[in-house]
């Protein structure tokens, strides 16, 4: 009986002769046919009564799935500007162009064009960072976490780093201050309490084993009530070098109350670490800026070679920093999004969508969005959204995610919510097409 059922499946060779599959690259068609047929044989072995799907259609769908790159662009309709799952900061056109130029050919990554001698990889980054933050020197590594690991390893391995108990934080996934400290071989010396730590607590803990004092910005939570935290200036006055992990590291004031990089350095921090793709709005990177001697120690540590960034990141970061330096902040998509009033864009989007097929109805609603990416916690972004109600919103959200282009929306109770804040200029029409398709596919069910 079950043998007979297996014979209802085509062989791999038979499947490959289907003209729709024969038109595809052979390796791809073969992998797809094998994957689907193996899966169906296993399913039949488990359940001989199984109703077989259209096998060829299944194989062709699998081939298309395999032919589609895994990593691709999506439309972010969540309103969350720095959405870590969606790749954080979209880059400014100038940064995109800079990547395209150095990616397509050779570049002077490590060549000084005027002397013809070997040049520094970071020559294009240092100047803008010095001008923007007042730092003496700076280096760039793969991300904010790598920046902290490098600083602790190069400057405090085998010695003590004094941190407030209120700052032993988890930033997300595997970045937890005590674990990062352990991984770098530095000894954590906790002081103070969860809610209150004073400069005197750090002062008492300073001894011959002290390598650094560290302050960690509480990026993704807020403590309110009976709390106390010494200022940068008070800690910097204690003697040992003070390292501040700023997280988002706004380069210019005015983006909520995130600490500003230049202010931390002016207040006496010896080094600061911050991410390139949070409020700075550039590529994924970790920037370490501050005193020349400490930066040199980080650069000379063997770990730096393993953590440094490639030419594409450097190109995008330099272009991003130049925009900030020129005061052209609205050229940075993240800054423009954080500052915009989405009201008019929401009305425009609702107008483009027009009438929806029953049972769906659409309306404009006030809502609160988020910055995301561990920046500006507790500071909701007042926004206007297009809300779709009347049908199965979870199913619609899933269809949108699986569409082309994929659209990621927010689900809020019984509504599917599209926040125009994070929809990039030029994406509106593709979003409307994707939404109409998702709604009509639903009708077809
Ligand atoms: C985000 C953050 C990090 C990690 O930075 P990544 O660029 O995500 O690696 C480290 N410290 C703080 C305080 C942060 O906010």
């Amino acid at each position: 009986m079950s043998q007979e059922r297996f014979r209802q499946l085509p062989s791999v060779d038979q499947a490959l002769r289907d003209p729709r599959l024969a038109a595809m690259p052979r390796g791809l068609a073969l992998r797809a046919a094998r994957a689907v047929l193996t899966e169906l044989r296993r399913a039949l072995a488990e359940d001989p009564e199984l109703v077989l799907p259209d096998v060829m259609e299944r194989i062709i769908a699998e081939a298309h799935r395999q032919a589609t790159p895994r990593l691709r662009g999506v439309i972010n309709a969540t309103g969350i500007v720095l959405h870590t799952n969606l790749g954080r900061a979209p880059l400014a056109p100038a940064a995109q162009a800079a990547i395209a130029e150095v990616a397509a050919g050779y570049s002077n990554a490590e060549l000084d064009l005027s002397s013809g001698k070997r040049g520094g990889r970071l020559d294009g980054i240092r100047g803008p960072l010095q001008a923007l933050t007042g730092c003496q020197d700076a280096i760039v590594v793969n991300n904010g976490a790598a920046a902290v690991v490098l600083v602790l390893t190069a400057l405090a391995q085998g010695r003590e780093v004094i941190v407030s108990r209120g700052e032993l934080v988890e930033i997300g996934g595997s970045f937890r201050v005590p674990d990062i400290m352990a991984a770098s071989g530095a000894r954590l010396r906790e002081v103070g309490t969860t809610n209150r730590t004073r400069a005197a607590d750090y002062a008492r803990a300073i001894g011959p084993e002290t390598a650094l004092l560290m302050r960690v910005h509480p990026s993704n939570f807020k403590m309110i009530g009976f709390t106390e935290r010494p200022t940068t200036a008070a800690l910097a006055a204690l003697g040992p070098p003070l390292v501040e992990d700023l997280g988002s590291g706004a380069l210019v004031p005015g983006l909520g109350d995130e600490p500003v990089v230049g202010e931390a350095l002016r207040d006496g921090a010896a080094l600061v670490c911050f991410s390139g793709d949070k409020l700075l709005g550039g590529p994924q990177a970790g920037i370490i800026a501050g005193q020349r001697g400490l930066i040199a120690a980080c650069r000379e540590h063997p770990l730096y070679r393993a953590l440094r960034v490639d030419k594409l990141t450097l190109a995008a970061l330099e272009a991003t920093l130049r925009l900030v330096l020129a005061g052209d902040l609205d050229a940075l998509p993240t800054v423009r999004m954080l500052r915009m009033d989405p009201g008019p864009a929401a009305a425009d989007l609702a107008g483009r969508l027009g009438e929806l097929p029953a049972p769906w109805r659409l309306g404009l609603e006030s809502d609160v969005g988020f910055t995301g990416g561990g920046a500006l916690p507790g500071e909701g972004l007042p926004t206007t959204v297009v809300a779709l109600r009347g049908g199965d919103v979870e199913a619609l959200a899933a269809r949108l995610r699986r569409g082309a282009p994929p659209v990621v929306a927010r689900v809020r109770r019984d509504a599917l919510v599209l926040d125009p804040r994070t929809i990039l200029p030029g994406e509106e029409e593709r979003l409307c097409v994707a939404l109409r398709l998702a709604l009509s596919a639903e009708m077809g069910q």
Side-chain angles (χ1 to χ4, degrees):
M1 156 72 186
S2 101
Q3 279 311 318
E4 213 167 281
R5 298 242 40 212
F6 282 126
R7 265 181 248 115
Q8 292 173 349
L9 292 173
S11 69
V12 170
D13 282 334
Q14 280 166 340
L16 290 180
R17 281 197 292 275
D18 184 292
R20 291 168 297 176
L21 212 52
M24 292 186 167
R26 194 180 149 78
L28 179 78
L30 192 62
R31 275 197 305 281
R34 281 200 182 127
V36 170
L37 291 171
T38 308
E39 185 200 313
L40 288 177
R41 273 190 211 108
R42 192 178 311 129
L44 270 181
E46 261 172 34
D47 175 12
E49 306 300 318
L50 183 80
V51 181
L52 281 177
D54 182 329
V55 178
M56 276 321 297
E57 213 150 83
R58 186 69 82 91
I59 293 174
I60 287 156
E62 172 63 16
H64 279 294
R65 199 188 61 77
Q66 289 195 16
T68 310
R70 219 290 304 177
L71 180 62
R72 56 206 168 115
V74 309
I75 294 179
N76 176 5
T78 65
I80 301 170
V81 178
L82 296 170
H83 199 310
T84 299
N85 293 358
L86 302 184
R88 287 204 191 150
L91 296 179
Q96 299 169 32
I99 289 182
E101 181 172 335
V102 300
Y106 297 101
S107 60
N108 61 336
E110 292 191 14
L111 179 71
D112 177 29
L113 292 176
S114 55
S115 69
K117 298 212 170 74
R118 176 149 187 199
R121 292 168 69 83
L122 299 173
D123 290 351
I125 304 293
R126 191 179 294 110
L129 278 173
Q130 285 168 334
L132 284 162
T133 71
C135 68
Q136 291 176 350
D137 202 355
I139 54 173
V140 184
V141 290
N142 183 56
N143 56 18
V148 178
V149 168
L150 178 60
V151 166
L152 293 175
T153 310
L155 305 178
Q157 194 164 51
R159 298 177 65 207
E160 281 183 5
V161 179
I162 304 177
V163 186
S164 160
R165 292 197 169 88
E167 297 175 10
L168 298 176
V169 301
E170 172 174 315
I171 300 299
S174 48
F175 188 94
R176 299 173 125 196
V177 171
D179 297 346
I180 292 281
M181 194 78 72
S184 63
R187 286 204 306 280
L188 171 63
R189 177 82 189 264
E190 307 174 16
V191 295
T193 64
T194 305
N195 56 328
R196 305 194 89 187
T197 304
R198 304 183 188 84
D201 295 319
Y202 292 80
R204 264 195 303 279
I206 293 172
E209 286 296 294
T210 306
L212 302 170
L213 310 184
M214 185 158 96
R215 236 167 88 98
V216 184
H217 179 58
S219 288
N220 47 8
F221 68 102
K222 259 201 166 33
M223 271 206 286
I224 53 168
F226 192 55
T227 64
E228 185 175 344
R229 186 175 187 239
T231 61
T232 299
L235 293 187
L238 295 178
L242 171 66
V243 172
E244 280 220 56
D245 176 10
L246 295 173
S248 278
L251 284 179
V252 291
L255 295 171
D257 57 9
E258 281 289 323
V260 176
V261 177
E263 283 172 15
L265 290 171
R266 261 194 305 285
D267 287 346
L271 287 182
V272 294
C273 304
F274 57 99
S275 296
D277 56 351
K278 291 187 184 171
L279 285 183
L280 174 53
Q284 178 189 303
I287 299 165
I288 308 170
Q291 291 175 5
R292 192 170 290 115
L294 298 178
I295 294 288
C298 291
R299 188 173 41 233
E300 282 152 23
H301 193 280
L303 195 54
Y304 170 61
R305 181 63 175 72
L307 298 177
R308 71 178 193 181
V309 295
D310 73 323
K311 61 182 180 176
L312 305 184
T313 300
L314 286 174
L317 187 58
E318 179 176 344
T320 304
L321 290 170
R322 282 173 178 276
L323 290 173
V324 179
L325 195 55
D328 195 1
L329 289 178
D330 276 334
L332 296 170
T334 50
V335 176
R336 187 183 54 73
M337 288 171 181
L338 286 170
R339 289 177 168 176
M340 80 186 276
D341 164 19
D348 174 71
L349 184 59
R352 284 172 192 264
L353 285 169
E355 283 280 298
L356 300 185
W360 291 97
R361 44 182 209 284
L362 162 164
L364 293 181
E365 294 177 9
S366 296
D367 198 2
V368 180
F370 310 95
T371 305
L376 307 172
E379 289 182 47
L381 289 170
T383 189
T384 308
V385 297
V386 177
L388 277 69
R389 294 170 193 279
D392 182 343
V393 289
E394 292 287 355
L396 181 60
R399 270 185 216 293
L400 282 170
R401 271 199 321 275
R402 291 189 211 115
V407 176
V408 182
R410 214 148 32 91
V411 170
R412 203 193 53 196
R413 291 190 299 275
D414 61 337
L416 180 105
V417 165
L418 305 169
D419 187 334
R421 185 186 300 278
T422 47
I423 299 168
L424 292 165
E427 284 181 343
E428 301 88 350
E429 205 43 57
R430 289 163 66 220
L431 168 63
C432 291
V433 171
L435 187 61
R436 280 192 211 103
L437 262 173
L439 287 168
S440 61
E442 186 164 77
M443 299 298 106
Q445 284 278 298

